[in-house]
mmCIF file of all heavy atoms in Angstrom:
data_model
loop_
_atom_site.group_PDB
_atom_site.id
_atom_site.type_symbol
_atom_site.label_atom_id
_atom_site.label_comp_id
_atom_site.label_asym_id
_atom_site.label_seq_id
_atom_site.Cartn_x
_atom_site.Cartn_y
_atom_site.Cartn_z
ATOM 1 N N ASP A 289 2.109 1.843 20.779
ATOM 2 C CA ASP A 289 0.623 1.951 21.020
ATOM 3 C C ASP A 289 0.155 3.339 21.195
ATOM 4 O O ASP A 289 -1.018 3.678 21.314
ATOM 5 C CB ASP A 289 0.259 1.107 22.265
ATOM 6 C CG ASP A 289 1.005 1.497 23.474
ATOM 7 O OD1 ASP A 289 1.833 2.426 23.428
ATOM 8 O OD2 ASP A 289 0.759 0.776 24.503
ATOM 9 N N GLU A 290 1.120 4.339 21.221
ATOM 10 C CA GLU A 290 0.744 5.742 21.239
ATOM 11 C C GLU A 290 0.536 6.379 19.844
ATOM 12 O O GLU A 290 -0.050 7.520 19.815
ATOM 13 C CB GLU A 290 1.855 6.559 22.009
ATOM 14 C CG GLU A 290 1.975 6.238 23.468
ATOM 15 C CD GLU A 290 3.036 7.059 24.167
ATOM 16 O OE1 GLU A 290 3.634 7.909 23.438
ATOM 17 O OE2 GLU A 290 3.168 6.923 25.356
ATOM 18 N N LEU A 291 0.858 5.607 18.845
ATOM 19 C CA LEU A 291 0.588 6.181 17.494
ATOM 20 C C LEU A 291 -0.935 6.195 17.207
ATOM 21 O O LEU A 291 -1.642 5.337 17.738
ATOM 22 C CB LEU A 291 1.349 5.319 16.468
ATOM 23 C CG LEU A 291 2.815 5.272 16.633
ATOM 24 C CD1 LEU A 291 3.499 4.256 15.618
ATOM 25 C CD2 LEU A 291 3.477 6.644 16.505
ATOM 26 N N PRO A 292 -1.414 7.095 16.394
ATOM 27 C CA PRO A 292 -2.848 7.311 16.234
ATOM 28 C C PRO A 292 -3.541 6.187 15.409
ATOM 29 O O PRO A 292 -4.718 5.846 15.677
ATOM 30 C CB PRO A 292 -2.924 8.627 15.539
ATOM 31 C CG PRO A 292 -1.544 8.853 14.840
ATOM 32 C CD PRO A 292 -0.652 8.192 15.762
ATOM 33 N N PHE A 293 -2.936 5.665 14.352
ATOM 34 C CA PHE A 293 -3.533 4.669 13.514
ATOM 35 C C PHE A 293 -5.018 5.180 13.104
ATOM 36 O O PHE A 293 -6.010 4.436 13.251
ATOM 37 C CB PHE A 293 -3.648 3.327 14.228
ATOM 38 C CG PHE A 293 -2.278 2.739 14.540
ATOM 39 C CD1 PHE A 293 -1.753 2.795 15.819
ATOM 40 C CD2 PHE A 293 -1.536 2.200 13.503
ATOM 41 C CE1 PHE A 293 -0.588 2.208 16.083
ATOM 42 C CE2 PHE A 293 -0.265 1.681 13.808
ATOM 43 C CZ PHE A 293 0.255 1.704 15.059
ATOM 44 N N ASP A 294 -4.968 6.314 12.511
ATOM 45 C CA ASP A 294 -6.302 6.847 12.037
ATOM 46 C C ASP A 294 -6.632 6.428 10.636
ATOM 47 O O ASP A 294 -7.817 6.736 10.223
ATOM 48 C CB ASP A 294 -6.267 8.425 12.158
ATOM 49 C CG ASP A 294 -6.164 8.919 13.577
ATOM 50 O OD1 ASP A 294 -6.736 8.235 14.448
ATOM 51 O OD2 ASP A 294 -5.578 9.996 13.801
ATOM 52 N N HIS A 295 -5.764 5.874 9.890
ATOM 53 C CA HIS A 295 -6.051 5.659 8.456
ATOM 54 C C HIS A 295 -5.702 4.193 8.051
ATOM 55 O O HIS A 295 -4.718 3.665 8.595
ATOM 56 C CB HIS A 295 -5.250 6.670 7.586
ATOM 57 C CG HIS A 295 -5.503 8.066 7.922
ATOM 58 N ND1 HIS A 295 -6.622 8.785 7.533
ATOM 59 C CD2 HIS A 295 -4.694 8.985 8.624
ATOM 60 C CE1 HIS A 295 -6.590 10.031 7.960
ATOM 61 N NE2 HIS A 295 -5.444 10.122 8.587
ATOM 62 N N ALA A 296 -6.426 3.764 7.045
ATOM 63 C CA ALA A 296 -6.237 2.433 6.557
ATOM 64 C C ALA A 296 -5.162 2.582 5.460
ATOM 65 O O ALA A 296 -4.961 3.623 4.879
ATOM 66 C CB ALA A 296 -7.491 1.948 5.900
ATOM 67 N N LEU A 297 -4.433 1.478 5.242
ATOM 68 C CA LEU A 297 -3.423 1.469 4.171
ATOM 69 C C LEU A 297 -4.079 1.746 2.830
ATOM 70 O O LEU A 297 -5.103 1.092 2.508
ATOM 71 C CB LEU A 297 -2.727 0.058 4.167
ATOM 72 C CG LEU A 297 -1.648 -0.074 3.113
ATOM 73 C CD1 LEU A 297 -0.468 0.851 3.388
ATOM 74 C CD2 LEU A 297 -1.224 -1.533 3.002
ATOM 75 N N PRO A 298 -3.663 2.762 2.063
ATOM 76 C CA PRO A 298 -4.357 3.153 0.799
ATOM 77 C C PRO A 298 -4.327 1.913 -0.182
ATOM 78 O O PRO A 298 -3.272 1.145 -0.242
ATOM 79 C CB PRO A 298 -3.461 4.236 0.228
ATOM 80 C CG PRO A 298 -2.819 4.781 1.500
ATOM 81 C CD PRO A 298 -2.534 3.635 2.345
ATOM 82 N N ALA A 299 -5.407 1.804 -0.854
ATOM 83 C CA ALA A 299 -5.550 0.689 -1.885
ATOM 84 C C ALA A 299 -4.642 1.007 -3.055
ATOM 85 O O ALA A 299 -4.286 0.110 -3.872
ATOM 86 C CB ALA A 299 -6.958 0.476 -2.287
ATOM 87 N N ARG A 300 -4.368 2.350 -3.295
ATOM 88 C CA ARG A 300 -3.404 2.738 -4.395
ATOM 89 C C ARG A 300 -2.434 3.611 -3.666
ATOM 90 O O ARG A 300 -2.686 4.302 -2.699
ATOM 91 C CB ARG A 300 -4.176 3.545 -5.431
ATOM 92 C CG ARG A 300 -5.243 2.715 -6.273
ATOM 93 C CD ARG A 300 -4.542 1.771 -7.170
ATOM 94 N NE ARG A 300 -3.852 2.491 -8.173
ATOM 95 C CZ ARG A 300 -3.010 1.890 -9.049
ATOM 96 N NH1 ARG A 300 -2.922 0.591 -9.103
ATOM 97 N NH2 ARG A 300 -2.429 2.704 -10.052
ATOM 98 N N PRO A 301 -1.199 3.717 -4.266
ATOM 99 C CA PRO A 301 -0.175 4.592 -3.636
ATOM 100 C C PRO A 301 -0.639 5.979 -3.469
ATOM 101 O O PRO A 301 -1.163 6.605 -4.418
ATOM 102 C CB PRO A 301 1.025 4.390 -4.571
ATOM 103 C CG PRO A 301 0.846 3.135 -5.178
ATOM 104 C CD PRO A 301 -0.651 2.949 -5.396
ATOM 105 N N VAL A 302 -0.379 6.571 -2.295
ATOM 106 C CA VAL A 302 -0.601 7.953 -2.076
ATOM 107 C C VAL A 302 0.686 8.669 -1.688
ATOM 108 O O VAL A 302 1.540 8.150 -1.064
ATOM 109 C CB VAL A 302 -1.545 8.161 -0.785
ATOM 110 C CG1 VAL A 302 -1.779 9.530 -0.336
ATOM 111 C CG2 VAL A 302 -2.996 7.439 -1.201
ATOM 112 N N ASP A 303 0.811 9.867 -2.124
ATOM 113 C CA ASP A 303 2.108 10.680 -1.907
ATOM 114 C C ASP A 303 1.988 11.314 -0.544
ATOM 115 O O ASP A 303 1.019 11.997 -0.206
ATOM 116 C CB ASP A 303 2.191 11.766 -2.978
ATOM 117 C CG ASP A 303 2.308 11.203 -4.375
ATOM 118 O OD1 ASP A 303 2.751 10.024 -4.475
ATOM 119 O OD2 ASP A 303 1.945 11.871 -5.435
ATOM 120 N N TYR A 304 3.110 11.197 0.187
ATOM 121 C CA TYR A 304 3.275 11.892 1.456
ATOM 122 C C TYR A 304 4.607 12.638 1.432
ATOM 123 O O TYR A 304 5.505 12.330 0.670
ATOM 124 C CB TYR A 304 3.331 10.838 2.616
ATOM 125 C CG TYR A 304 2.095 9.978 2.724
ATOM 126 C CD1 TYR A 304 2.017 8.790 2.066
ATOM 127 C CD2 TYR A 304 0.995 10.449 3.462
ATOM 128 C CE1 TYR A 304 0.820 8.000 2.141
ATOM 129 C CE2 TYR A 304 -0.093 9.681 3.629
ATOM 130 C CZ TYR A 304 -0.221 8.468 2.964
ATOM 131 O OH TYR A 304 -1.402 7.692 3.027
ATOM 132 N N GLN A 305 4.677 13.637 2.238
ATOM 133 C CA GLN A 305 5.896 14.447 2.338
ATOM 134 C C GLN A 305 6.259 14.676 3.770
ATOM 135 O O GLN A 305 5.583 15.314 4.584
ATOM 136 C CB GLN A 305 5.598 15.888 1.678
ATOM 137 C CG GLN A 305 6.790 16.769 1.666
ATOM 138 C CD GLN A 305 7.921 16.304 0.731
ATOM 139 O OE1 GLN A 305 7.713 15.982 -0.357
ATOM 140 N NE2 GLN A 305 9.146 16.499 1.194
ATOM 141 N N PHE A 306 7.403 14.231 4.089
ATOM 142 C CA PHE A 306 7.992 14.462 5.525
ATOM 143 C C PHE A 306 8.844 15.690 5.414
ATOM 144 O O PHE A 306 9.711 15.822 4.480
ATOM 145 C CB PHE A 306 8.929 13.342 5.890
ATOM 146 C CG PHE A 306 8.196 12.017 6.050
ATOM 147 C CD1 PHE A 306 8.464 10.944 5.189
ATOM 148 C CD2 PHE A 306 7.300 11.836 7.068
ATOM 149 C CE1 PHE A 306 7.836 9.695 5.304
ATOM 150 C CE2 PHE A 306 6.619 10.570 7.212
ATOM 151 C CZ PHE A 306 6.932 9.552 6.344
ATOM 152 N N ASP A 307 8.524 16.641 6.373
ATOM 153 C CA ASP A 307 9.413 17.821 6.437
ATOM 154 C C ASP A 307 9.414 18.372 7.884
ATOM 155 O O ASP A 307 8.966 17.583 8.813
ATOM 156 C CB ASP A 307 8.825 18.987 5.518
ATOM 157 C CG ASP A 307 7.370 19.298 5.727
ATOM 158 O OD1 ASP A 307 6.940 19.223 6.907
ATOM 159 O OD2 ASP A 307 6.661 19.679 4.862
ATOM 160 N N ARG A 308 9.934 19.501 8.078
ATOM 161 C CA ARG A 308 10.202 19.918 9.536
ATOM 162 C C ARG A 308 8.824 20.147 10.275
ATOM 163 O O ARG A 308 8.807 20.142 11.496
ATOM 164 C CB ARG A 308 10.966 21.281 9.573
ATOM 165 C CG ARG A 308 10.278 22.504 8.920
ATOM 166 C CD ARG A 308 11.183 23.682 8.935
ATOM 167 N NE ARG A 308 11.641 23.993 10.286
ATOM 168 C CZ ARG A 308 12.687 24.683 10.529
ATOM 169 N NH1 ARG A 308 13.403 25.190 9.480
ATOM 170 N NH2 ARG A 308 13.096 24.903 11.724
ATOM 171 N N GLY A 309 7.751 20.162 9.576
ATOM 172 C CA GLY A 309 6.441 20.271 10.233
ATOM 173 C C GLY A 309 5.726 18.936 10.459
ATOM 174 O O GLY A 309 4.703 18.970 11.107
ATOM 175 N N SER A 310 6.404 17.890 10.030
ATOM 176 C CA SER A 310 5.769 16.579 10.223
ATOM 177 C C SER A 310 6.055 16.033 11.618
ATOM 178 O O SER A 310 7.082 16.338 12.243
ATOM 179 C CB SER A 310 6.347 15.602 9.214
ATOM 180 O OG SER A 310 6.121 16.048 7.840
ATOM 181 N N PRO A 311 5.085 15.285 12.196
ATOM 182 C CA PRO A 311 5.301 14.718 13.543
ATOM 183 C C PRO A 311 6.552 13.868 13.678
ATOM 184 O O PRO A 311 6.918 13.174 12.676
ATOM 185 C CB PRO A 311 4.022 13.943 13.756
ATOM 186 C CG PRO A 311 2.988 14.464 12.844
ATOM 187 C CD PRO A 311 3.806 14.905 11.627
ATOM 188 N N VAL A 312 7.124 13.782 14.777
ATOM 189 C CA VAL A 312 8.243 12.962 15.074
ATOM 190 C C VAL A 312 7.931 12.084 16.284
ATOM 191 O O VAL A 312 7.364 12.488 17.246
ATOM 192 C CB VAL A 312 9.537 13.832 15.391
ATOM 193 C CG1 VAL A 312 10.665 13.029 15.844
ATOM 194 C CG2 VAL A 312 10.007 14.529 14.179
ATOM 195 N N ALA A 313 8.321 10.847 16.131
ATOM 196 C CA ALA A 313 8.132 9.905 17.227
ATOM 197 C C ALA A 313 9.609 9.405 17.745
ATOM 198 O O ALA A 313 10.450 9.451 17.056
ATOM 199 C CB ALA A 313 7.367 8.695 16.796
ATOM 200 N N GLU A 314 9.607 9.004 18.975
ATOM 201 C CA GLU A 314 10.780 8.355 19.487
ATOM 202 C C GLU A 314 10.547 6.852 19.738
ATOM 203 O O GLU A 314 9.879 6.525 20.662
ATOM 204 C CB GLU A 314 11.216 8.962 20.803
ATOM 205 C CG GLU A 314 12.583 8.461 21.357
ATOM 206 C CD GLU A 314 13.014 9.098 22.656
ATOM 207 O OE1 GLU A 314 12.520 10.224 22.884
ATOM 208 O OE2 GLU A 314 13.812 8.528 23.284
ATOM 209 N N LEU A 315 11.028 6.017 18.794
ATOM 210 C CA LEU A 315 10.762 4.696 18.767
ATOM 211 C C LEU A 315 12.113 3.906 18.762
ATOM 212 O O LEU A 315 12.972 4.230 17.992
ATOM 213 C CB LEU A 315 9.981 4.261 17.525
ATOM 214 C CG LEU A 315 8.573 4.923 17.408
ATOM 215 C CD1 LEU A 315 7.908 4.651 16.064
ATOM 216 C CD2 LEU A 315 7.633 4.418 18.564
ATOM 217 N N ASP A 316 12.237 2.909 19.648
ATOM 218 C CA ASP A 316 13.454 2.205 19.858
ATOM 219 C C ASP A 316 14.542 3.141 20.125
ATOM 220 O O ASP A 316 15.689 2.902 19.540
ATOM 221 C CB ASP A 316 13.669 1.269 18.705
ATOM 222 C CG ASP A 316 12.652 0.211 18.513
ATOM 223 O OD1 ASP A 316 12.150 -0.210 19.521
ATOM 224 O OD2 ASP A 316 12.328 -0.281 17.401
ATOM 225 N N GLY A 317 14.311 4.220 20.810
ATOM 226 C CA GLY A 317 15.407 5.126 21.155
ATOM 227 C C GLY A 317 15.844 6.101 20.076
ATOM 228 O O GLY A 317 16.898 6.737 20.254
ATOM 229 N N GLN A 318 15.154 6.186 19.002
ATOM 230 C CA GLN A 318 15.465 7.037 17.874
ATOM 231 C C GLN A 318 14.377 7.913 17.428
ATOM 232 O O GLN A 318 13.177 7.491 17.361
ATOM 233 C CB GLN A 318 15.970 6.135 16.702
ATOM 234 C CG GLN A 318 16.368 6.986 15.441
ATOM 235 C CD GLN A 318 16.821 6.165 14.347
ATOM 236 O OE1 GLN A 318 17.477 5.133 14.499
ATOM 237 N NE2 GLN A 318 16.473 6.540 13.082
ATOM 238 N N HIS A 319 14.739 9.215 17.092
ATOM 239 C CA HIS A 319 13.750 10.148 16.616
ATOM 240 C C HIS A 319 13.578 9.918 15.125
ATOM 241 O O HIS A 319 14.549 9.717 14.428
ATOM 242 C CB HIS A 319 14.233 11.498 16.867
ATOM 243 C CG HIS A 319 14.106 12.066 18.214
ATOM 244 N ND1 HIS A 319 13.960 13.443 18.523
ATOM 245 C CD2 HIS A 319 14.034 11.465 19.451
ATOM 246 C CE1 HIS A 319 13.858 13.597 19.825
ATOM 247 N NE2 HIS A 319 13.940 12.340 20.432
ATOM 248 N N THR A 320 12.369 9.867 14.686
ATOM 249 C CA THR A 320 12.040 9.540 13.356
ATOM 250 C C THR A 320 10.656 10.079 12.943
ATOM 251 O O THR A 320 9.785 10.114 13.785
ATOM 252 C CB THR A 320 12.075 8.031 12.999
ATOM 253 O OG1 THR A 320 11.722 7.781 11.653
ATOM 254 C CG2 THR A 320 11.137 7.307 13.946
ATOM 255 N N HIS A 321 10.565 10.579 11.723
ATOM 256 C CA HIS A 321 9.167 10.818 11.148
ATOM 257 C C HIS A 321 8.519 9.464 10.968
ATOM 258 O O HIS A 321 9.186 8.372 10.839
ATOM 259 C CB HIS A 321 9.270 11.515 9.836
ATOM 260 C CG HIS A 321 9.793 13.013 9.954
ATOM 261 N ND1 HIS A 321 9.107 13.886 10.738
ATOM 262 C CD2 HIS A 321 10.847 13.636 9.437
ATOM 263 C CE1 HIS A 321 9.762 15.112 10.638
ATOM 264 N NE2 HIS A 321 10.849 14.956 9.836
ATOM 265 N N PHE A 322 7.227 9.545 10.798
ATOM 266 C CA PHE A 322 6.558 8.185 10.702
ATOM 267 C C PHE A 322 5.175 8.319 9.967
ATOM 268 O O PHE A 322 4.640 9.462 9.857
ATOM 269 C CB PHE A 322 6.240 7.597 12.140
ATOM 270 C CG PHE A 322 5.286 8.455 12.974
ATOM 271 C CD1 PHE A 322 3.915 8.211 12.872
ATOM 272 C CD2 PHE A 322 5.705 9.471 13.709
ATOM 273 C CE1 PHE A 322 3.065 8.961 13.646
ATOM 274 C CE2 PHE A 322 4.806 10.320 14.380
ATOM 275 C CZ PHE A 322 3.487 9.973 14.416
#
Side-chain angles (χ1 to χ4, degrees):
D289 58 0
E290 290 182 0
L291 300 176
F293 297 105
D294 290 331
H295 302 286
L297 179 68
R300 297 283 298 170
V302 172
D303 299 335
Y304 299 93
Q305 179 72 41
F306 297 111
D307 54 32
R308 65 183 306 162
S310 302
V312 170
E314 183 179 341
L315 299 170
D316 293 333
Q318 179 176 323
H319 283 207
T320 176
H321 291 303
F322 66 91

